[in-house]
Amino acid sequence: MEGAREQVTDQQQTVGIDDLPIRDELRGKSPYGAPQLDVPVQLNTNENPYPLPEPLVARIAERVAEAARGLNRYPDRDAVELRTELARYLTRTGGHPVAVGNVWAANGSNEVLQQLLQTFGGPGRTAIGFEPSYSMHALIARGTGTGWISGPRHEDFTIDVDAAERAIAAHRPDVVFITSPNNPTGTAVEAETVLALYEAAQAARPSLVVVDEAYVEFSHRASLLPLIEGRPNLVVSRTMSKAFGAAGLRLGYLAAHPAVVDAVQLVRLPYHLSAVTQATALAALEHTDTLLGYVEQLKAERDRLVDELRAIGYEVTESDANFVQFGHFGGAEGSHEAWRKILDRGVLVRDNGVPGWLRVTAGTPEENDAFLDAVRALKKEQSS
């Protein structure tokens, strides 16, 4: 018996992922994820650094307690109350009236995007994004069997509209991703660009166009939400992870024509949003004004990081998000070496794989001071 156990253990040690009968397009790939390291200052995952205020924590406890009394029953499958409150929030802040029928919610914006690709992408279909951009777009496409096309950007990381239109016409993708503000660069997208690519996409296929606005509350510019009016193939996706400081909640949502909301329900798992998730999100929405006050503080800190980094001598991409892309470190090896030296000083930033650039999340004033001290020391070392 002992020998059998040892044999099983040996087999477990020698069998890897690629030895399993997984799909070919997943072989040799790595899962998404930023390093989770125990360092004093963690500014690598675009989290809101401010804990939820105590009155909100207390309200969450009340709402979750109410939900707990009914956990023997399935939750509201369609999350009507939550979608109603999300619609009110969008109407109030997005510059465009939105009704409950325009809104859908899921476990994080990644599940929203996954449901869209399950519905409008899939085997034999393709999606295009303009890279560098949010890497999960390509990963979710792969996971749903959707072919991925990498579209062009200018050197300043804005979308090359002419080249993008040609790529859409040539590839005729079924789904088009536009990220505004863009992650990891922080650059926002003009409404005119979205409209041009939407028209190109409708002429080519027509295609679903998804505007990912995960960071829009931090932007200097207005939301692109009003563009959904009269455009049934345009979707705006959002999250409560960033502006609402609720990354641990995992709540994302979209706004679109009611037909899109009906369509994604064809693929959503039954009762996908737990009663506890819905209760927590509803409590957070009750405290919108307080949470958006933290957003204003972070915008000011983001702008301070931009100014200070430029004063130190770094190149900085214009940012409309709660993070800043800075460099230039001369290439992939240079940016990774800089990442390591900043980490050695107790500050974790993100090496996103954009050669020569790093990304730092706007933290508290104290966290940002520690980061700026680290990059000043790095610049001094590089100049000596």
Side-chain angles (χ1 to χ4, degrees):
M1 181 64 71
E2 190 65 32
R5 287 199 194 98
E6 291 175 357
Q7 184 177 8
V8 170
T9 301
D10 290 341
Q11 290 175 344
Q12 289 173 338
Q13 292 175 343
T14 58
V15 173
I17 291 176
D18 288 341
D19 296 310
L20 301 175
I22 63 173
R23 289 161 36 198
D24 289 341
E25 62 268 30
L26 299 180
R27 294 186 182 280
K29 304 299 182 182
S30 299
Y32 175 87
Q36 293 181 305
L37 305 177
D38 186 13
V39 298
V41 179
Q42 299 179 22
L43 300 174
N44 69 323
T45 54
N46 297 342
E47 296 164 323
N48 188 317
Y50 294 104
L52 297 182
E54 285 304 316
L56 173 52
V57 173
R59 182 58 179 141
I60 290 172
E62 292 173 356
R63 275 196 171 267
V64 169
E66 294 169 5
R69 295 186 181 94
L71 287 181
N72 58 309
R73 304 293 185 184
Y74 286 115
D76 177 5
R77 181 181 58 207
D78 299 327
V80 174
E81 182 183 4
L82 174 57
R83 289 165 56 208
T84 298
E85 293 306 316
L86 288 169
R88 287 176 180 167
Y89 169 72
L90 288 172
T91 298
R92 175 186 161 193
T93 63
H96 183 70
V98 175
V100 63
N102 298 111
V103 176
W104 182 245
N107 293 285
S109 61
N110 288 330
E111 186 176 53
V112 170
L113 301 176
Q114 182 181 61
Q115 290 174 345
L116 288 169
L117 283 170
Q118 286 175 318
T119 307
F120 297 94
R125 295 191 170 205
T126 58
I128 189 171
F130 305 98
E131 295 179 313
S133 190
Y134 184 38
S135 59
M136 280 303 300
H137 293 161
L139 289 175
I140 297 172
R142 185 185 302 125
T144 58
T146 308
W148 180 254
I149 302 161
S150 180
R153 285 185 181 268
H154 289 297
E155 288 188 5
D156 65 356
F157 300 108
T158 58
I159 294 175
D160 184 334
V161 177
D162 291 340
E165 289 177 329
R166 291 195 296 270
I168 290 171
H171 296 286
R172 302 177 68 237
D174 298 273
V175 181
V176 177
F177 283 105
I178 303 171
T179 311
S180 183
N182 186 47
N183 179 13
T185 64
T187 45
V189 179
E190 299 285 352
E192 292 76 14
T193 296
V194 175
L195 292 175
L197 299 189
Y198 182 84
E199 292 305 318
Q202 303 322 298
R205 169 85 36 198
S207 310
L208 190 78
V209 177
V210 181
V211 179
D212 188 335
E213 283 195 334
Y215 299 94
V216 72
E217 285 94 344
F218 299 96
S219 181
H220 300 292
R221 311 181 193 209
S223 169
L224 297 166
L225 179 68
L227 299 184
I228 67 172
E229 182 66 30
R231 298 180 179 88
N233 290 335
L234 184 65
V235 176
V236 172
S237 71
R238 295 280 196 93
T239 180
M240 293 185 74
S241 294
K242 311 303 180 182
F244 279 84
L249 170 62
R250 311 308 303 131
L251 196 291
Y253 55 103
L254 65 76
H257 190 281
V260 174
V261 175
D262 291 342
V264 295
Q265 293 183 60
L266 297 173
V267 300
R268 64 103 166 94
L269 295 174
Y271 312 107
H272 68 296
L273 276 180
S274 77
V276 171
T277 296
Q278 294 183 45
T280 305
L282 284 164
L285 286 163
E286 292 177 14
H287 289 253
T288 295
D289 291 341
T290 299
L291 296 173
L292 292 184
Y294 293 144
V295 168
E296 292 304 311
Q297 295 179 45
L298 287 170
K299 288 166 69 174
E301 283 297 304
R302 182 265 322 278
D303 292 341
R304 179 168 79 96
L305 287 175
V306 170
D307 292 341
E308 292 282 354
L309 283 165
R310 286 176 174 162
I312 293 168
Y314 290 101
E315 295 180 46
V316 180
T317 308
E318 293 292 339
S319 177
D320 273 74
N322 69 331
F323 56 84
V324 177
Q325 180 178 256
F326 68 102
H328 192 277
F329 299 104
E333 290 185 6
S335 55
H336 189 73
E337 180 183 2
W339 174 85
R340 171 57 64 182
K341 290 183 176 181
I342 295 170
L343 180 62
D344 289 343
R345 293 176 169 89
V347 180
L348 179 61
V349 298
R350 187 71 179 269
D351 182 356
N352 260 2
V354 182
W357 298 86
L358 296 174
R359 190 195 72 193
V360 59
T361 305
T364 65
E366 296 76 16
E367 290 172 332
N368 295 334
D369 287 342
F371 161 73
L372 290 169
D373 286 344
V375 292
R376 285 191 190 98
L378 174 62
K379 177 61 76 172
K380 184 178 181 179
E381 177 184 329
Q382 291 175 329
S383 300
S384 61

